[in-house]
Amino acid sequence: MSTHFIYDERLGIRLPHLQKAWEMYTKEEQAAILLEWETIRGKIPDRIIELEQQINEKQRQLGEENDFARSCTLNFEIAALASIINDLWIWYRMNQTVTNRIHQ
């Protein structure tokens, strides 16, 4: 595991944490960083599936819940998980931009 990535507790994946401008890295370093990112990026869909399963379970609980306060809590938890999924999709799509920069 390189120092170019740090673990994000909320998202459950490692994210890029570059210490200098992308152009300051050698082509070899850029290639190594991209290879590591591709490995991380490849795990994002599985992470999203895990979160969707959690949402489905909370929605099931919500459908059976009679307590208003607990319903509000479940709704909040569902929204928080959906926000994480949205952010993961953004990171997943970000690769296209980074790869294009390398090949210019």
Side-chain angles (χ1 to χ4, degrees):
M1 184 163 50
S2 77
T3 59
H4 301 297
F5 296 86
I6 57 171
Y7 186 76
D8 183 283
E9 191 72 37
R10 179 177 167 269
L11 298 181
I13 62 168
R14 291 181 300 131
L15 296 177
H17 183 71
L18 303 179
Q19 301 294 319
K20 54 188 175 182
W22 183 248
E23 296 77 21
M24 299 300 291
Y25 290 97
T26 67
K27 292 293 182 190
E28 293 78 19
E29 289 172 318
Q30 290 177 354
I33 292 167
L34 280 178
L35 180 62
E36 188 170 355
W37 173 243
E38 273 302 308
T39 301
I40 295 166
R41 184 177 171 267
K43 296 175 185 177
I44 291 176
D46 292 335
R47 177 73 177 128
I48 290 171
I49 289 169
E50 292 172 14
L51 295 168
E52 287 173 341
Q53 290 170 344
Q54 292 177 32
I55 287 174
N56 290 339
E57 175 57 24
K58 290 183 184 300
Q59 287 176 326
R60 185 197 63 73
Q61 292 173 17
L62 185 59
E64 299 172 0
E65 188 58 61
N66 292 322
D67 179 53
F68 179 74
R70 177 69 181 139
S71 294
C72 290
T73 300
L74 287 168
N75 272 319
F76 175 80
E77 292 171 356
I78 290 168
L81 290 169
S83 175
I84 295 169
I85 289 172
N86 184 59
D87 289 349
L88 285 168
W89 278 123
I90 290 169
W91 279 105
Y92 185 77
R93 284 188 229 100
M94 185 173 292
N95 181 66
Q96 297 163 349
T97 304
V98 172
T99 301
N100 288 338
R101 288 178 66 188
I102 289 293
H103 297 291
Q104 289 179 347

